[in-house]
Amino acid sequence: MSENNKRNISITGNIEFTGITLNEPKNFAAGLPAVKVAVQHTFKEMGALEALSTLSHMNQKEGFDCPGCAWPDPEKPSKLGEYCENGAKALAEEATYKKVDEVFFKKYSVEEISTWSDYKIGKSGRLTRPMILREGEIHYSPISWEDAYMLIADELRALNSPNEGIFYTSGRSSNEAAFLYGLFIRAFGTNNMPDCSNMCHESSGVALSETLGIGKGSVKLEDFDKAEIVMVIGQNPGTNHPRMLSALEKCKNNGGKVITINPLAEAGLIRFKNPQSISGLTKGASLTDIHLQVKINQDVALLKLIIKRLAKLSETDNKVFDHNFIEKHTEGYEALLADLDNFSDNELLEACGVADEKITETVELLAKNNKIIICWAMGLTQHKNGVDNIKECVNLLLLKGSLGKPGAGTCPVRGHSNVQGDRTVGIMHHVSEELNTAIKNVFGFTPPDKEGLDTVHALDAMHQNKAKVFVALGGNFISAVADTVYAAEALQQCNLTVQISTKLNRSHLITGKTALILPTLGRSEKDSKNGKSQFLTVENSMGKVHRTKGLLTPKSDQLKSEPEIISGIANAYFKGTHPVDWKRLGNDYDFIRKKMSQTFKGFEEVQTASEGAGYYLPNNVRELDFSKLPNKKARFSICRLAQHRLRPNEFLLMTIRSHDQFNTTIYGLNDRYRGIKNERRVVFMNSADMERFGYKKFDIVDLISKYENKERRAEKFLVIPYNIPEGNLAAYFPETNIIVPHNHFADKSNTPISKSIIVHLERNNSL
């Protein structure tokens, strides 16, 4: 419990077990169970007729983009439905008939709501009107939009410097909203724009920018049809990006092979039962040809060993590496080979923990093929050496010449549906001279040229009372960031916190002295101005921009679009004294897109080219154009091995998602694929480790991390025997975010180390 302006707020909610049932893990994903669950969720929240009608428009060319992940849509979307189980759950959450209104907030105080689980909070329903939590009060009460805008403007004017404001962005915002938000923040005078990328794929952006000259992947969806090998590393698509399984299935049907590298054998990568075909529903397709069960964060050791053995083969077979590609397009090849001599096979084999025969099988496969795609997600990025993890993947692709050709390339699989688009249109704490010049030319003001704060350093600034206003465009900040207690203390230091949201979440409870909730339209809802239904645009995980247009009647006539809300704040702050026409931008999305086209390369035709299947933004790697890099060549990297010095009683723990969640949104209490039903407070442990430490199934333990002598504790987790490497543990977030230290993060990218936390366990005998 924490004192928050005389409010007795629970930071994590009451810790209670919910009645676990344990089954054998599944050996397939999707199929009839996925169809059944999708139907159950949508019918329960929306009703059968509205659910079926709305799902038929999700991810269709004239429909709306899924509010879930950023996996791309095919050129010809399936008429049976272009959505997955988790996409249906995301829609059900957004389009629920349940409402959180003034009656709800009058009945429940923030103190009481804070004791609820994240699951219960999320299931409360849609926010319906602007609400304010005044200093010293424990109940939200209604406020008009105009008064809310003026309150924000007054608090921003009261700051000693624009740099005392923090402006966070989640990945659900459209390109138009993110562009307008970034424009206002720069006009206000700061680059303090932390965003969700800081916490997930920032390591990808840094690594790819430094080695290939662009912080995005290079593949297109159709490349999966042509790939000879797809490597899936540190990713669980069956739960987090289920529609990716269709792409892997096509790869297999065309003769390709799939190699998975993950500490867990995930059901979605074992077998996929495609619900859109009879054979898929019954038999399904085997996906993984080789599973390399690597120890947590020993991917560099594994990839070095693979490259080392490929290099040995290349001494007698000149076709193993693409020497023409290496000579023409790369630099650092000789240094990379020389570095391999510093490591013995046995050293690397012991570090990664993978069976020798599996390495041999993988090397033989890679040696014969060069149309290779490497996919990855946060299993690679959220480590101290997250940037090096990605660079080692790039090393392998460069050696094989697996870039700039069909069926080959880099594929960071992004999370929230427009997280990549937000960055493309200017949401970043870094300073871009090119962007600043464009803004000055297009809008007539000079943006700030001082680098702003990312998520890690924004928390520090708020904690130290150096930042006093926090505004979040979407997301559930408190449940997403590392070190929950520290983050809560940081937010509670603020004078004002503002959440622009669709649904109630824990970030509406852990607040500054005064807090505002500004309710916004969901992706599936109509956005009409002057009787005309407007569209927005998003960018998918592979750099394609396309339209999204909602069709549902908004849940309340008090809801406003994100661009309209941002415009309202800007109008209130500038009072018509700024060269930007904020009011017009907030009401005319065509005008926003016109200004975007004048500001960014690649957006010149966004108004027309985004129609239908959309269009790809420029990508230098696809053209093998590395002219922006120092020597105009792609760069090999010398990567260090991960160093985790564990004491005899310590483990390395990675945070994971259950199958019943997306990011911090908890859809239910089941993890069907891993055999967990009706419980989230579990820790997966190798049976040999359980025997070594004397644990039995369902023993209750606390998870404790200790960095710089500061102890962080996550209480009451049930021990579950699981197929995971010895010395490794896994548990769900956000429950485990409390033990992720805020001051340990990836080199260069500052991404939290959520996938490699050193912990020890203590028995909890409180029950």
Side-chain angles (χ1 to χ4, degrees), residues 337-358:
L337 293 186
D339 178 68
L340 294 175
D341 293 334
N342 295 322
F343 307 93
S344 70
D345 279 30
N346 288 339
E347 175 189 3
L348 296 173
L349 197 63
E350 182 179 356
C352 72
V354 177
D356 195 5
E357 59 270 21
K358 290 283 189 180

Side-chain angles (χ1 to χ4, degrees), residues 263-264 293-296 298 350-354 646 648 650-653 684-693 722-730:
L264 303 177
Q293 191 170 22
V294 68
K295 293 179 181 177
I296 290 175
Q298 291 300 338
E350 182 179 356
C352 72
V354 177
L646 303 182
E650 291 180 331
F651 296 85
L652 204 60
L653 179 141
F684 298 102
M685 181 184 290
N686 184 284
S687 296
D689 286 331
M690 290 177 63
E691 183 176 352
R692 182 160 59 102
F693 287 95
Y722 207 78
N723 181 11
I724 186 171
E726 290 186 48
N728 291 172
L729 303 172

Side-chain angles (χ1 to χ4, degrees), residues 94 121 172 188 230 279 297 325 343 361 417 453 519 532 573 585 602 612 679:
E94 177 179 282
I121 292 171
R172 73 169 296 278
F188 173 64
V230 177
S279 62
N297 196 28
F325 180 94
F343 307 93
E361 187 180 359
S417 56
L453 301 175
K532 180 183 177 182
Y573 180 78
L585 285 168
E679 187 56 77

Side-chain angles (χ1 to χ4, degrees), residues 53 78 226 274 281 376 400 464 605 610 614 637 643 657 711 732 764:
S53 173
S78 170
K226 305 175 181 68
N274 192 332
L281 283 172
W376 68 86
K400 298 296 297 181
Q464 297 162 15
E605 304 298 327
S610 60
S637 307
Q643 298 295 326
R657 297 176 186 170
E711 183 178 285
Y732 304 131
N764 187 306

Side-chain angles (χ1 to χ4, degrees), residues 45 50 73 89 141 154 212 220 228 268 281 289 292 317 320 332 365 392 396 448 454 484 545 557 595 616 724 741:
E45 299 291 342
E50 186 168 75
D73 307 327
K89 291 175 181 176
S141 56
D154 289 344
L212 301 177
K220 299 179 179 180
E228 295 167 332
L281 283 172
D289 295 281
L292 305 178
D317 184 351
V320 172
L365 188 59
E392 202 67 74
L396 178 56
D454 60 13
T484 311
V545 176
D557 60 8
K595 293 301 181 182
Y616 283 103
I724 186 171

Side-chain angles (χ1 to χ4, degrees), residues 647-659:
R647 296 183 176 89
N649 68 327
E650 291 180 331
F651 296 85
L652 204 60
L653 179 141
M654 63 177 180
T655 65
I656 58 175
R657 297 176 186 170
S658 80
H659 189 62

